[in-house]
């Protein structure tokens, strides 16, 4: 039976808005049972992976760590879990990635002390600790401290925290450490599905907004998301100031070159998108004086049913960011 004080902490975790992905190795696998045994786990846990063997952990990290049980390995696991949570989370929900690696109970003779390392990653914070796992998750989910019981000195060995400001987060994005940064402009979000319109938005114009309006109407229930590409196959990476300027506008995928020039890689990734239930809405566009629609494109046969054409009578705006920049001398 779950200890009353642990149950209280877990209930507080499940009551927080955070959604989590957990990568746990070693003795921490037992904690997953604690999280799932208390009602409300589906509010919190998006995914949990237990890379128990060394080969499993190597495949998770895509490298052989210098030490399997180390602070750096826990940090790497937490960052991977955080990026995974960004993909799986409900629109607008804050996420946390949890990484744990421990050298605890073993049938073989142990050399040295029992060690474990814990790391949690949120949008603006990396927390590293050798502290009880349940407390670490509670801290990451911003559970009030009065809910968390005091720990003895043997429970806590050391801990440290790194805070990230907006510029640091964007630098991590450009460097490929984090997969995307979310700027929520709505406080109340009820939709589970995301409707994503990617682009450079340089500048944002009525055509973008009208296309999103039509796409939202076609899809029905969905949360509209505008995706700015910080790193583009056609152009140099955006600077921090450029990203901020383009994001501030919102406050008032199908060519091999985007997949390292590899057609088979493009096909594999898009089929993976299709398998998750994704669909693409395609609006027409004026290209060199001719209005091109979905039927004018060469879509691989195995992908055709994931693309839906937006009729020209519902959406046609012969406008582009390039033309706007030319006319304004930008």
């Amino acid at each position: 039976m779950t200890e009353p004080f642990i149950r209280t902490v877990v209930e507080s975790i499940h009551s927080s808005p955070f959604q989590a992905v957990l990568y746990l190795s070693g003795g921490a696998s037992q904690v997953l049972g604690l999280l799932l045994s208390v009602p409300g786990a589906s509010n919190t846990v998006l995914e949990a992976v237990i890379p128990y063997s060394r080969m499993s952990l190597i495949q998770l990290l895509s490298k052989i760590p210098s030490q399997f049980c180390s602070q750096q390995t826990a940090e790497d696991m937490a960052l991977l879990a955080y990026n995974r949570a960004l993909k799986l989370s409900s629109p607008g929900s804050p996420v946390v990635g949890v990484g744990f690696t421990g050298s605890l109970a073993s049938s073989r003779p142990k050399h040295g002390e029992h060690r474990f390392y814990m790391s949690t990653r949120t949008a603006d914070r990396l927390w590293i600790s050798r502290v009880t796992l349940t407390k670490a998750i509670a801290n990451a989910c911003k559970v009030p401290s009065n809910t968390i019981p005091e720990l003895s000195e043997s429970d806590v060995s050391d801990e440290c925290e790194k805070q990230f400001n907006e510029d640091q987060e964007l630098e991590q994005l450009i460097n490929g450490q984090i997969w995307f940064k979310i700027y929520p402009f709505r406080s109340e979000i009820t939709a589970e599905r995301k409707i994503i319109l990617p682009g450079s938005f340089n500048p944002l114009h009525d055509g973008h907004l009208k296309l999103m309006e039509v796409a939202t109407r076609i899809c029905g229930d969905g949360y509209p998301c505008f995706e700015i590409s910080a790193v583009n196959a056609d152009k140099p990476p955006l600077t921090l100031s450029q990203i901020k300027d383009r994001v501030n506008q919102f406050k008032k995928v199908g060519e091999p070159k985007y997949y390292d020039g590899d057609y088979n890689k493009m096909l594999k990734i898009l089929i993976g998108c299709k398998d998750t239930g994704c669909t693409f809405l395609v609006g027409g566009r004026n290209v060199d004086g001719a209005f091109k629609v979905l039927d004018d494109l060469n879509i691989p046969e195995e992908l055709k049913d994931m693309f839906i054409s937006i009729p020209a009578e519902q959406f046609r705006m012969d406008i582009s960011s390039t033309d706007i920049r030319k006319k304004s001398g930008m």
Side-chain angles (χ1 to χ4, degrees):
M1 181 177 292
T2 304
E3 295 273 0
F5 74 89
I6 294 179
R7 184 182 181 90
T8 299
V9 174
V10 174
E11 286 175 346
S12 298
I13 292 172
H14 293 335
S15 297
S16 81
F18 279 81
Q19 295 185 312
V21 167
L22 303 95
Y23 290 160
L24 313 173
S25 69
S29 55
Q30 297 178 10
V31 173
L32 183 59
L34 296 176
L35 288 174
L36 298 181
S37 67
V38 177
S42 60
N43 297 331
T44 304
V45 180
L46 295 168
E47 181 177 86
V49 176
I50 302 174
Y52 209 75
S53 71
R54 290 195 167 205
M55 186 55 66
S56 177
L57 185 56
I58 289 170
Q59 291 192 13
L60 175 69
L61 299 174
S62 297
K63 66 179 182 181
I64 301 176
S66 57
Q67 285 186 296
F68 285 84
C69 180
S70 68
Q71 176 179 314
Q72 185 59 55
T73 298
E75 287 185 39
D76 291 343
M77 294 169 73
L79 183 58
L80 287 170
Y82 172 73
N83 281 322
R84 178 68 171 161
L86 286 173
K87 285 191 170 185
L88 299 179
S89 61
S90 301
S93 295
V95 301
V96 56
V98 179
F100 176 95
T101 178
S103 173
L104 302 172
S106 173
S107 59
R108 293 172 292 184
K110 289 200 61 64
H111 302 285
E113 63 176 352
H114 294 285
R115 295 171 292 124
F116 67 88
Y117 297 90
M118 168 76 200
S119 180
T120 58
R121 171 66 200 249
T122 60
D124 60 357
R125 186 172 72 152
L126 174 68
W127 193 63
I128 308 103
S129 175
R130 292 178 65 185
V131 67
T132 301
L133 182 58
T134 307
K135 181 184 178 183
I137 298 173
N139 282 338
C141 293
K142 299 182 180 178
V143 171
S145 57
N146 59 4
T147 309
I148 306 172
E150 290 298 318
L151 302 176
S152 66
E153 289 185 7
S154 62
D155 289 319
V156 181
S157 177
D158 55 74
E159 58 184 73
C160 64
E161 180 181 74
K162 300 176 186 176
Q163 295 276 358
F164 305 117
N165 58 32
E166 182 184 10
D167 283 1
Q168 290 171 320
E169 289 180 62
L170 292 176
E171 286 172 354
Q172 292 170 8
L173 175 69
I174 293 171
N175 293 335
Q177 291 176 268
I178 59 175
W179 292 347
F180 50 90
K181 174 173 170 57
I182 299 172
Y183 288 88
F185 295 118
R186 275 188 184 174
S187 57
E188 295 184 7
I189 301 170
T190 57
E192 288 291 325
R193 187 181 190 185
K194 299 172 186 172
I195 303 171
I196 301 174
L197 175 61
S200 60
F201 306 110
N202 183 30
L204 174 68
H205 56 67
D206 289 342
H208 297 132
L209 300 176
K210 179 65 176 178
L211 181 55
M212 178 59 85
E213 178 187 326
V214 172
T216 303
R217 188 164 61 245
I218 290 174
C219 291
D221 185 38
Y223 180 64
C225 302
F226 292 90
E227 180 183 77
I228 300 173
S229 300
V231 180
N232 194 302
D234 295 317
K235 305 162 189 172
L238 298 180
T239 64
L240 301 189
S241 60
Q242 287 174 326
I243 294 174
K244 289 180 178 180
D245 288 344
R246 295 186 194 185
V247 168
N248 285 336
Q249 297 176 106
F250 293 91
K251 292 182 179 179
K252 329 186 236 192
V253 157
E255 286 190 46
K257 64 183 176 182
Y258 295 109
Y259 304 89
D260 303 324
D262 188 330
Y263 178 86
N264 291 327
K265 181 178 180 181
M266 176 198 74
L267 204 59
K268 180 179 179 180
I269 291 174
L270 289 178
I271 289 174
C273 293
K274 178 181 175 181
D275 290 343
T276 65
C278 290
T279 55
F280 291 84
L281 299 176
V282 183
R285 183 169 186 171
N286 197 316
V287 180
D288 298 328
F291 189 71
K292 301 288 187 178
V293 296
L294 179 61
D295 290 341
D296 297 315
L297 303 177
N298 183 22
I299 306 295
E301 190 64 35
E302 52 267 69
L303 297 175
K304 283 187 175 179
D305 58 350
M306 72 182 295
F307 292 91
I308 301 171
S309 181
I310 299 177
E313 57 269 23
Q314 290 191 37
F315 174 79
R316 176 170 180 173
M317 297 188 74
D318 296 338
I319 185 174
S320 74
S321 297
T322 302
D323 291 339
I324 291 175
R325 289 197 302 274
K326 286 180 179 178
K327 291 176 182 177
S328 62
M330 295 172 63

